[in-house]
Protein backbone atom coordinates (compact mmCIF):
# COMPACT_ATOMS: atom_id res chain seq x y z
CA UNK A 1 0.00 0.00 0.00
CA UNK A 2 1.53 3.31 -1.05
CA UNK A 3 -1.34 5.80 -0.91
CA UNK A 4 -4.66 6.09 0.91
CA UNK A 5 -7.01 7.76 -1.55
CA UNK A 6 -10.28 5.87 -1.21
CA UNK A 7 -11.73 3.13 0.96
CA UNK A 8 -12.35 1.31 -2.33
CA UNK A 9 -8.59 0.71 -2.54
CA UNK A 10 -8.56 -1.31 0.70
CA UNK A 11 -9.18 -5.01 1.09
CA UNK A 12 -10.99 -6.19 4.20
CA UNK A 13 -7.70 -7.59 5.53
CA UNK A 14 -5.92 -4.25 4.99
CA UNK A 15 -8.72 -2.31 6.69
CA UNK A 16 -8.69 -4.63 9.69
CA UNK A 17 -4.92 -4.48 9.93
CA UNK A 18 -5.06 -0.65 10.11
CA UNK A 19 -7.64 -0.92 12.92
CA UNK A 20 -5.53 -3.51 14.77
CA UNK A 21 -2.40 -1.40 14.37
CA UNK A 22 -4.36 1.57 15.79
CA UNK A 23 -5.29 -0.51 18.85
CA UNK A 24 -1.62 -1.26 19.49
CA UNK A 25 -0.59 2.36 18.94
CA UNK A 26 -3.37 3.59 21.26
CA UNK A 27 -2.07 1.22 23.93
CA UNK A 28 1.39 2.75 23.58
CA UNK A 29 0.00 6.31 23.53
CA UNK A 30 -1.78 5.61 26.82
CA UNK A 31 1.57 4.95 28.45
CA UNK A 32 3.78 7.62 29.97
CA UNK A 33 6.03 7.90 26.91
CA UNK A 34 3.71 8.93 24.11
CA UNK A 35 6.27 9.16 21.39
CA UNK A 36 7.60 6.40 19.14
CA UNK A 37 10.82 6.80 17.10
CA UNK A 38 9.34 4.99 14.06
CA UNK A 39 9.24 7.87 11.56
CA UNK A 40 12.23 9.83 12.80
CA UNK A 41 13.82 11.77 9.93
CA UNK A 42 10.75 11.49 7.69
CA UNK A 43 8.88 14.59 6.53
CA UNK A 44 5.10 14.76 6.37
CA UNK A 45 3.37 17.74 4.79
CA UNK A 46 -0.17 18.69 5.73
CA UNK A 47 -1.53 20.40 2.63
CA UNK A 48 -4.92 21.87 3.54
CA UNK A 49 -6.56 23.79 0.74
CA UNK A 50 -9.90 23.73 2.58
CA UNK A 51 -10.70 24.65 6.18
CA UNK A 52 -10.28 22.03 8.86
CA UNK A 53 -9.68 21.88 12.56
CA UNK A 54 -9.78 18.34 13.84
CA UNK A 55 -8.48 16.49 10.79
CA UNK A 56 -5.46 18.74 10.42
CA UNK A 57 -4.45 18.75 14.08
CA UNK A 58 -5.17 15.04 14.31
CA UNK A 59 -2.77 14.22 11.45
CA UNK A 60 -0.24 16.61 12.96
CA UNK A 61 -0.45 14.96 16.39
CA UNK A 62 -0.26 11.50 14.78
CA UNK A 63 2.86 12.36 12.77
CA UNK A 64 4.55 13.95 15.78
CA UNK A 65 3.85 10.96 18.02
CA UNK A 66 5.69 8.87 15.44
CA UNK A 67 8.59 11.40 15.57
CA UNK A 68 8.16 12.62 11.97
CA UNK A 69 8.88 16.23 11.00
CA UNK A 70 5.65 18.01 10.11
CA UNK A 71 5.18 20.93 7.76
CA UNK A 72 1.78 22.60 7.81
CA UNK A 73 0.74 24.24 4.63
CA UNK A 74 -2.72 25.77 4.39
CA UNK A 75 -4.42 27.67 1.60
CA UNK A 76 -4.69 30.87 3.58
CA UNK A 77 -1.29 32.43 3.84
CA UNK A 78 0.24 30.31 1.07
CA UNK A 79 0.57 30.71 -2.69
CA UNK A 80 -2.42 28.39 -3.12
CA UNK A 81 -4.58 31.41 -2.35
CA UNK A 82 -2.74 33.22 -5.16
CA UNK A 83 -3.97 30.57 -7.58
CA UNK A 84 -0.86 28.41 -7.68
CA UNK A 85 -1.64 25.13 -9.40
CA UNK A 86 -1.61 21.76 -7.69
CA UNK A 87 1.31 20.85 -9.97
CA UNK A 88 3.50 23.75 -8.86
CA UNK A 89 2.63 23.12 -5.23
CA UNK A 90 3.51 19.43 -5.63
CA UNK A 91 6.85 20.24 -7.27
CA UNK A 92 7.67 22.47 -4.31
CA UNK A 93 6.81 19.69 -1.86
CA UNK A 94 8.97 17.25 -3.81
CA UNK A 95 11.86 19.71 -3.75
CA UNK A 96 11.48 19.84 0.04
CA UNK A 97 11.73 16.07 0.27
CA UNK A 98 8.24 15.28 1.54
CA UNK A 99 7.83 11.56 2.26
CA UNK A 100 4.06 11.91 2.52
CA UNK A 101 1.46 14.53 1.78
CA UNK A 102 -1.79 14.65 3.67
CA UNK A 103 -4.10 16.57 1.38
CA UNK A 104 -7.49 18.17 1.88
CA UNK A 105 -8.91 19.83 -1.19
CA UNK A 106 -12.24 21.25 -2.35
CA UNK A 107 -11.99 19.42 -5.66
CA UNK A 108 -13.03 15.76 -5.70
CA UNK A 109 -10.15 13.76 -7.18
CA UNK A 110 -7.31 16.18 -6.29
CA UNK A 111 -5.48 13.56 -4.13
CA UNK A 112 -5.78 11.00 -6.95
CA UNK A 113 -4.35 13.53 -9.39
CA UNK A 114 -1.39 14.09 -7.09
CA UNK A 115 -0.81 10.36 -6.60
CA UNK A 116 -0.99 9.62 -10.33
CA UNK A 117 1.39 12.43 -11.24
CA UNK A 118 5.15 12.40 -11.68
CA UNK A 119 5.27 15.59 -9.65
CA UNK A 120 6.15 14.01 -6.37
CA UNK A 121 7.25 10.59 -5.21
CA UNK A 122 5.85 10.39 -1.68
CA UNK A 123 2.69 8.77 -0.33
CA UNK A 124 -0.57 10.66 -0.73
CA UNK A 125 -3.21 10.51 1.98
CA UNK A 126 -6.66 11.85 1.21
CA UNK A 127 -7.87 13.95 4.16
CA UNK A 128 -11.14 14.85 2.42
CA UNK A 129 -11.64 15.77 -1.23
CA UNK A 130 -14.73 17.73 -2.25
CA UNK A 131 -17.81 15.58 -1.80
CA UNK A 132 -15.90 12.43 -2.75
CA UNK A 133 -14.15 10.65 0.14
CA UNK A 134 -12.63 10.97 3.58
CA UNK A 135 -11.09 7.56 4.25
CA UNK A 136 -9.28 8.34 7.53
CA UNK A 137 -12.58 9.55 9.02
CA UNK A 138 -14.30 6.29 8.04
CA UNK A 139 -11.45 4.27 9.57
CA UNK A 140 -11.65 6.18 12.87
CA UNK A 141 -15.41 5.74 12.87
CA UNK A 142 -15.05 1.98 12.31
CA UNK A 143 -12.43 1.85 15.07
CA UNK A 144 -14.83 3.63 17.45
CA UNK A 145 -17.76 1.37 16.55
CA UNK A 146 -15.66 -1.78 16.91
CA UNK A 147 -14.39 -0.65 20.31
CA UNK A 148 -17.92 -0.15 21.65
CA UNK A 149 -19.92 -2.81 19.87
CA UNK A 150 -17.46 -5.22 18.29
CA UNK A 151 -17.58 -7.87 21.07
CA UNK A 152 -14.00 -8.82 20.24
CA UNK A 153 -14.69 -9.56 16.57
CA UNK A 154 -12.17 -8.20 14.03
CA UNK A 155 -14.91 -6.80 11.78
CA UNK A 156 -18.35 -5.17 12.23
CA UNK A 157 -20.46 -8.11 11.10
CA UNK A 158 -24.19 -7.57 11.67
CA UNK A 159 -23.87 -4.16 13.36
CA UNK A 160 -26.67 -1.83 12.24
CA UNK A 161 -25.72 1.75 11.43
CA UNK A 162 -27.97 4.66 10.42
CA UNK A 163 -26.22 7.53 8.63
CA UNK A 164 -28.51 10.52 8.90
CA UNK A 165 -28.77 13.86 7.13
CA UNK A 166 -26.87 15.63 4.38
CA UNK A 167 -25.59 12.56 2.52
CA UNK A 168 -25.52 14.51 -0.74
CA UNK A 169 -22.58 16.72 0.25
CA UNK A 170 -20.87 14.25 2.57
CA UNK A 171 -17.55 12.62 1.78
CA UNK A 172 -17.77 11.13 5.30
CA UNK A 173 -20.94 9.27 4.29
CA UNK A 174 -19.39 7.94 1.07
CA UNK A 175 -16.29 6.58 2.78
CA UNK A 176 -18.32 5.18 5.65
CA UNK A 177 -20.78 3.38 3.38
CA UNK A 178 -17.86 1.66 1.62
CA UNK A 179 -15.97 0.73 4.78
CA UNK A 180 -18.97 -0.33 6.87
CA UNK A 181 -20.11 -2.53 4.01
CA UNK A 182 -16.62 -4.01 3.61
CA UNK A 183 -16.57 -4.84 7.33
CA UNK A 184 -20.01 -6.50 7.28
CA UNK A 185 -22.17 -3.81 8.92
CA UNK A 186 -25.69 -3.03 7.68
CA UNK A 187 -26.15 0.60 6.68
CA UNK A 188 -29.37 2.58 6.39
CA UNK A 189 -29.24 6.11 5.00
CA UNK A 190 -31.86 8.43 6.46
CA UNK A 191 -32.38 11.75 4.67
CA UNK A 192 -34.90 13.85 2.81
CA UNK A 193 -34.91 12.86 -0.88
CA UNK A 194 -33.33 16.22 -1.78
CA UNK A 195 -30.23 15.39 0.28
CA UNK A 196 -29.55 12.00 -1.31
CA UNK A 197 -27.23 11.82 -4.33
CA UNK A 198 -28.27 10.66 -7.76
CA UNK A 199 -27.36 6.98 -8.10
CA UNK A 200 -27.75 6.20 -4.39
CA UNK A 201 -29.98 3.25 -5.40
CA UNK A 202 -26.88 1.37 -6.47
CA UNK A 203 -25.10 1.87 -3.11
CA UNK A 204 -24.99 -1.14 -0.76
CA UNK A 205 -27.47 0.45 1.71
CA UNK A 206 -31.11 0.64 2.72
CA UNK A 207 -32.76 4.03 2.34
CA UNK A 208 -35.38 5.61 4.57
CA UNK A 209 -37.04 9.02 4.62
CA UNK A 210 -38.41 8.44 8.10
CA UNK A 211 -35.95 8.77 11.00
CA UNK A 212 -38.48 7.59 13.60
CA UNK A 213 -38.91 4.29 11.78
CA UNK A 214 -35.18 3.60 11.92
CA UNK A 215 -33.83 5.14 15.13
CA UNK A 216 -35.00 2.46 17.58
CA UNK A 217 -33.64 -0.50 15.65
CA UNK A 218 -30.01 0.48 15.02
CA UNK A 219 -26.82 0.11 17.08
CA UNK A 220 -25.21 3.30 15.79
CA UNK A 221 -26.71 6.64 14.80
CA UNK A 222 -24.18 8.65 12.82
CA UNK A 223 -25.34 12.23 12.31
CA UNK A 224 -24.00 14.30 9.42
CA UNK A 225 -23.45 18.03 9.38
CA UNK A 226 -25.78 20.05 7.18
CA UNK A 227 -23.15 21.50 4.83
CA UNK A 228 -24.60 24.93 4.22
CA UNK A 229 -21.39 26.15 2.56
CA UNK A 230 -21.86 23.62 -0.26
CA UNK A 231 -25.56 24.34 -0.74
CA UNK A 232 -26.44 26.38 -3.77
CA UNK A 233 -30.16 25.52 -3.72
CA UNK A 234 -32.85 25.26 -1.10
CA UNK A 235 -32.74 21.64 0.04
CA UNK A 236 -35.28 21.85 2.87
CA UNK A 237 -37.96 24.39 3.85
CA UNK A 238 -36.26 25.75 6.99
CA UNK A 239 -34.06 24.76 9.92
CA UNK A 240 -37.02 24.00 12.22
CA UNK A 241 -38.54 21.58 9.77
CA UNK A 242 -35.19 19.92 9.22
CA UNK A 243 -34.60 19.43 12.97
CA UNK A 244 -38.11 18.13 13.50
CA UNK A 245 -37.80 15.38 10.91
CA UNK A 246 -34.09 14.65 10.68
CA UNK A 247 -32.52 16.02 13.86
CA UNK A 248 -31.43 13.86 16.79
CA UNK A 249 -32.99 15.26 19.96
CA UNK A 250 -33.62 13.90 23.46
CA UNK A 251 -37.02 12.44 22.46
CA UNK A 252 -35.55 10.40 19.65
CA UNK A 253 -32.56 9.43 21.78
CA UNK A 254 -34.94 8.00 24.40
CA UNK A 255 -36.29 5.51 21.83
CA UNK A 256 -32.81 4.19 20.97
CA UNK A 257 -31.54 0.89 22.30
CA UNK A 258 -29.69 1.29 25.63
CA UNK A 259 -26.41 -0.04 24.20
CA UNK A 260 -26.50 2.11 21.06
CA UNK A 261 -24.12 5.01 20.41
CA UNK A 262 -24.37 8.45 18.82
CA UNK A 263 -21.64 9.68 16.45
CA UNK A 264 -20.88 12.86 14.51
CA UNK A 265 -17.68 13.62 12.55
CA UNK A 266 -17.75 17.28 13.60
CA UNK A 267 -18.00 20.18 13.27
CA UNK A 268 -21.56 20.06 14.64
CA UNK A 269 -24.39 22.47 14.03
CA UNK A 270 -25.80 22.20 17.54
CA UNK A 271 -29.54 22.74 17.43
CA UNK A 272 -29.82 21.77 13.76
CA UNK A 273 -28.90 18.12 13.08
CA UNK A 274 -28.19 17.35 16.73
CA UNK A 275 -29.43 18.97 19.93
CA UNK A 276 -26.86 20.18 22.44
CA UNK A 277 -28.07 17.80 25.17
CA UNK A 278 -27.73 14.77 22.88
CA UNK A 279 -24.27 15.88 21.72
CA UNK A 280 -23.17 16.05 25.37
CA UNK A 281 -25.05 12.96 26.56
CA UNK A 282 -23.50 9.77 27.93
CA UNK A 283 -24.55 7.98 24.74
CA UNK A 284 -22.50 10.32 22.56
CA UNK A 285 -18.99 9.16 21.56
CA UNK A 286 -18.25 12.32 19.58
CA UNK A 287 -15.30 13.48 21.67
CA UNK A 288 -13.93 9.95 21.73
CA UNK A 289 -14.03 9.88 17.92
CA UNK A 290 -11.57 12.78 17.96
CA UNK A 291 -9.22 10.97 20.35
CA UNK A 292 -9.43 7.74 18.33
CA UNK A 293 -8.65 9.77 15.22
CA UNK A 294 -5.08 10.30 16.39
CA UNK A 295 -4.42 6.57 16.91
CA UNK A 296 -6.02 5.65 13.59
CA UNK A 297 -4.03 8.29 11.71
CA UNK A 298 -0.85 7.06 13.42
CA UNK A 299 -1.74 3.60 12.12
CA UNK A 300 -2.29 4.93 8.57
CA UNK A 301 1.08 6.72 8.58
CA UNK A 302 2.74 3.68 10.12
CA UNK A 303 1.36 1.27 7.52
CA UNK A 304 2.16 3.59 4.60
CA UNK A 305 5.59 4.81 5.68
CA UNK A 306 6.99 2.10 7.93
CA UNK A 307 5.69 -0.38 5.39
CA UNK A 308 4.03 -2.96 7.54
CA UNK A 309 1.24 -3.35 10.08
CA UNK A 310 2.35 -3.41 13.69
CA UNK A 311 2.40 -6.93 15.04
CA UNK A 312 -0.63 -7.39 17.29
CA UNK A 313 0.43 -8.12 20.82
CA UNK A 314 3.97 -6.96 20.02
CA UNK A 315 6.00 -4.34 21.85
C1 LIG B 1 -15.94 16.35 7.93
C2 LIG B 1 -15.33 16.82 6.65
O1 LIG B 1 -14.59 17.78 6.61
O2 LIG B 1 -15.61 16.17 5.66
N1 LIG B 1 -15.33 16.82 9.08
C3 LIG B 1 -14.19 16.25 9.52
O3 LIG B 1 -13.29 15.90 8.79
N2 LIG B 1 -14.10 16.03 10.85
C4 LIG B 1 -17.39 16.53 7.96
C5 LIG B 1 -17.97 17.90 7.80
O4 LIG B 1 -17.30 18.86 7.45
O5 LIG B 1 -19.18 18.00 8.04
Amino acid sequence: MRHLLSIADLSKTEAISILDTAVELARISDGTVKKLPTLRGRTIVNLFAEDSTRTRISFEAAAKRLSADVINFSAKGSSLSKGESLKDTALTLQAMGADAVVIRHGASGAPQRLADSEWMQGSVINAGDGTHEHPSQALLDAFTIRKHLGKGAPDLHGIKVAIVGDVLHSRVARSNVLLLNLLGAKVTLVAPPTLLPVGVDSWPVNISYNFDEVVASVDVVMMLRVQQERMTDLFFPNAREYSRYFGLNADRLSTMSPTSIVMHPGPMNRGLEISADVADSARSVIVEQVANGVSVRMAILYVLLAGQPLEVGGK
Side-chain angles (χ1 to χ4, degrees):
M1 213 169 106
R2 187 169 151 226
H3 306 294
L4 180 62
L5 304 173
S6 161
I7 292 295
D9 300 337
L10 294 178
S11 66
K12 184 172 179 179
T13 312
E14 284 172 324
I16 289 173
S17 100
I18 292 173
L19 301 186
D20 289 344
T21 300
V23 171
E24 288 301 298
L25 292 168
R27 200 169 57 83
I28 296 165
S29 299
D30 285 341
T32 40
V33 182
K34 288 203 166 32
K35 217 159 163 162
L36 288 174
T38 322
L39 298 183
R40 188 181 290 154
R42 311 294 280 277
T43 299
I44 296 171
V45 176
N46 279 329
L47 173 59
F48 277 67
E50 217 187 50
D51 292 344
S52 169
T53 310
R54 63 211 89 216
T55 305
R56 190 180 58 72
I57 61 177
S58 182
F59 269 111
E60 183 172 354
K64 286 183 169 162
R65 285 195 197 165
L66 293 171
S67 305
D69 294 319
V70 181
I71 299 173
N72 285 315
F73 186 151
S74 56
K76 286 193 194 92
S78 77
S79 294
L80 274 175
S81 62
K82 297 181 185 166
E84 184 170 60
S85 68
L86 192 59
K87 176 176 176 177
D88 288 325
T89 305
L91 292 171
T92 306
L93 302 179
Q94 175 66 16
M96 286 177 185
D99 294 293
V101 175
V102 177
I103 175 173
R104 166 164 293 196
H105 204 285
S108 300
Q112 182 85 51
R113 184 80 191 85
L114 199 56
D116 290 346
S117 76
E118 311 268 283
W119 309 329
M120 58 158 288
Q121 257 77 64
S123 293
V124 179
I125 299 166
N126 180 3
D129 61 329
T131 58
H132 175 229
E133 276 215 48
H134 194 352
S136 66
Q137 179 71 41
L139 286 159
L140 80 88
D141 290 338
F143 179 94
T144 306
I145 296 170
R146 193 176 77 162
K147 194 165 164 189
H148 282 269
L149 305 166
K151 302 197 179 100
D155 63 8
L156 304 177
H157 187 78
I159 295 178
K160 287 181 265 171
V161 182
I163 301 180
V164 186
D166 186 0
V167 178
L168 179 64
H169 299 105
S170 180
R171 53 200 177 202
V172 173
R174 280 171 187 72
S175 288
N176 260 300
V177 165
L178 291 173
L179 185 59
L180 290 167
N181 192 56
L182 185 68
L183 296 177
K186 300 251 169 296
V187 180
T188 302
L189 300 179
V190 182
T194 48
L195 288 177
L196 287 170
V198 174
V200 74
D201 310 340
S202 62
W203 293 16
V205 294
N206 297 313
I207 291 167
S208 170
Y209 307 122
N210 189 329
F211 197 4
D212 289 318
E213 277 176 16
V214 174
V215 70
S217 62
V218 292
D219 305 300
V220 179
V221 174
M222 185 184 290
M223 301 306 297
L224 298 173
R225 181 173 68 88
V226 175
Q227 300 197 23
Q228 271 140 340
E229 81 280 16
R230 294 191 210 273
M231 290 187 184
T232 46
D233 288 316
L234 195 60
F235 287 92
F236 47 85
N238 57 53
R240 256 176 83 123
E241 285 277 282
Y242 184 85
S243 300
R244 175 169 330 144
Y245 292 104
F246 296 99
L248 186 58
N249 54 28
D251 283 347
R252 287 206 169 98
L253 184 77
S254 70
T255 67
M256 286 172 61
S257 118
T259 53
S260 60
I261 57 173
V262 173
M263 304 177 75
H264 192 302
M268 290 183 269
N269 294 305
R270 286 174 181 250
L272 184 54
E273 71 266 2
I274 189 165
S275 66
D277 50 352
V278 171
D280 300 329
S281 70
R283 206 72 72 68
S284 157
V285 298
I286 296 168
V287 177
E288 197 193 310
Q289 284 173 267
V290 179
N292 292 339
V294 178
S295 308
V296 170
R297 288 174 174 124
M298 284 173 80
I300 292 167
L301 294 172
Y302 192 102
V303 169
L304 290 180
L305 295 178
Q308 79 267 17
L310 192 64
E311 211 175 290
V312 178
K315 284 262 148 25

